Amino acid sequence: MARTKYIAGNWKMNTCKADAVKLAEGLVASLKGKSGKFMIGVPYVYLDAVGQIVKGSNILLGAQDVANTNNGAHTGEVSTAMLKDVGVSSVILGHSERRHEIGESDELINKKVRKALADGLEVVLCIGELLSEREAGEAEQVCAFQLSAGLAGVTAEQMKKVTIAYEPVWAIGTGKTATPADAQAIHKFCRDYIAKLYSKAVADEVIIQYGGSMKPENAKELLAQPDIDGGLIGGASLKVDSFTAICEA
C-alpha cells in the first residue's frame, strides 16, 4: 500500500536560538507546498521560539524526549503538558544516543511511549543494533526485542500515531554504511514483526523511517526501497538545502 513519506529532522544538541529560528524560517519557506510529512525535533529551550515560526505551516514541531510523569516534583524533566503548551505534536523516543549515552532502559522508553500516546502526542520510536550486535548476527533479534519492549501496552488503534525509526548504531559516525539492501532487509523484518505483534493491516500502515546517516546523496536510493517510508535525519537536518533535498527525494 502507498504510505506517506515522512522525513523528520533531529537537531540533537545543536543551534543557538537565533540559528534555530533562522533554520526554521528557511525550512518553512523551502518546504511550502511540498508533498509528504515533515517534522523537526528541536532542543527543549528553542521549542517555543521555533513553534511560533512553524505554526500553520506543513512542518510539525517535535521534541527529542519527554518525561513519563505529569507535572510535579521532577527536577530537570519536561512533561507532555509542557510540550503541548508550546505547540509540540510529536516526540522522538528511544534514540540510540539516549539508550547508550544516557542509559535509558527499554522499560523507561516504553513508559514514555505510553505516556506520550495517552496524552495525544505522536511518537517516533527509535530502534537499532550496535556494531557488535550486527557482527554477532543479532540485528534482527535486537530490533525484535526493542519493538516488543517499546510497544508493550500500545494498542492497535494507538499504532496509528506511532512511527518506527530504524537506526543502525554501527552506521552512525563509524565510517561503515548500511547499503539500501541492508536497510530494506531490516525494515521488512520490522514490518513483518509488527504484523506478528498486531496484524498485517497495522504493519502495512506503520511508517518505518531509516535513521542511519541519510543524506541528499543516498536519500533517493534508500527511499526507493519498498519498506523504507522516510528518514530520521541528524546532521543533514541542520542545513536548509540538505534537509530540503532529502525531502524532495
Side-chain angles (χ1 to χ4, degrees), residues 9 17 24 31 44 46 65-66 98 100 128 135-136 138 152 168 171 181 192 197 209 215 224 228 231 242 246:
K17 185 177 178 182
L31 296 178
Y44 280 149
Y46 307 135
D65 189 33
V66 72
R98 294 203 64 81
H100 302 297
E135 290 177 340
E138 296 169 353
D192 291 344
L197 291 177
Q209 299 171 325
K215 304 177 182 70
I228 299 180
S242 56
I246 292 170

Side-chain angles (χ1 to χ4, degrees), residues 162-181:
V162 175
T163 295
I164 303 299
Y166 167 63
E167 40 167 17
V169 186
W170 53 273
I172 302 171
T174 60
K176 294 176 185 279
T177 53
T179 65

Side-chain angles (χ1 to χ4, degrees), residues 143-209:
C143 289
F145 177 80
Q146 290 177 350
L147 283 169
S148 295
L151 296 173
V154 174
T155 67
E157 184 63 26
Q158 286 177 316
M159 282 298 291
K160 291 175 180 171
K161 288 202 153 195
V162 175
T163 295
I164 303 299
Y166 167 63
E167 40 167 17
V169 186
W170 53 273
I172 302 171
T174 60
K176 294 176 185 279
T177 53
T179 65
D182 285 337
Q184 163 59 22
I186 291 283
H187 277 242
K188 183 176 189 313
F189 170 82
C190 290
R191 195 175 306 284
D192 291 344
Y193 192 77
I194 290 166
K196 288 180 191 171
L197 291 177
Y198 294 94
S199 67
K200 186 176 185 301
V202 169
D204 283 346
E205 279 187 16
V206 73
I207 291 172
I208 307 179
Q209 299 171 325

Side-chain angles (χ1 to χ4, degrees), residues 45-170:
V45 288
Y46 307 135
L47 280 169
D48 196 16
V50 171
Q52 308 294 329
I53 307 295
V54 301
K55 194 174 182 179
S57 75
N58 61 342
I59 302 173
L60 300 174
L61 183 65
Q64 299 172 22
D65 189 33
V66 72
N68 67 317
T69 50
N70 290 324
N71 287 356
H74 307 290
T75 301
E77 292 290 275
V78 175
S79 69
T80 54
M82 292 171 174
L83 294 183
K84 289 166 72 177
D85 189 40
V86 293
V88 169
S89 59
S90 181
V91 60
I92 300 166
L93 295 172
H95 192 279
S96 61
E97 287 153 5
R98 294 203 64 81
R99 290 177 186 269
H100 302 297
E101 287 183 23
I102 311 294
E104 286 196 2
S105 66
D106 287 281
E107 183 184 16
L108 176 59
I109 291 162
N110 175 246
K111 285 179 180 175
K112 291 181 176 187
V113 167
R114 285 185 289 145
K115 178 64 177 162
L117 291 171
D119 292 347
L121 291 172
E122 290 186 10
V123 165
V124 176
L125 172 62
C126 302
I127 63 166
E129 77 282 6
L130 297 166
L131 179 59
S132 57
E133 293 166 333
R134 180 85 184 186
E135 290 177 340
E138 296 169 353
E140 292 183 353
Q141 188 181 334
V142 170
C143 289
F145 177 80
Q146 290 177 350
L147 283 169
S148 295
L151 296 173
V154 174
T155 67
E157 184 63 26
Q158 286 177 316
M159 282 298 291
K160 291 175 180 171
K161 288 202 153 195
V162 175
T163 295
I164 303 299
Y166 167 63
E167 40 167 17
V169 186
W170 53 273

Side-chain angles (χ1 to χ4, degrees), residues 225-247:
Q225 303 300 314
D227 289 292
I228 299 180
D229 308 315
L232 180 60
I233 317 300
S237 71
L238 295 170
K239 293 181 180 170
V240 172
D241 55 352
S242 56
F243 189 68
T244 302
I246 292 170
C247 292

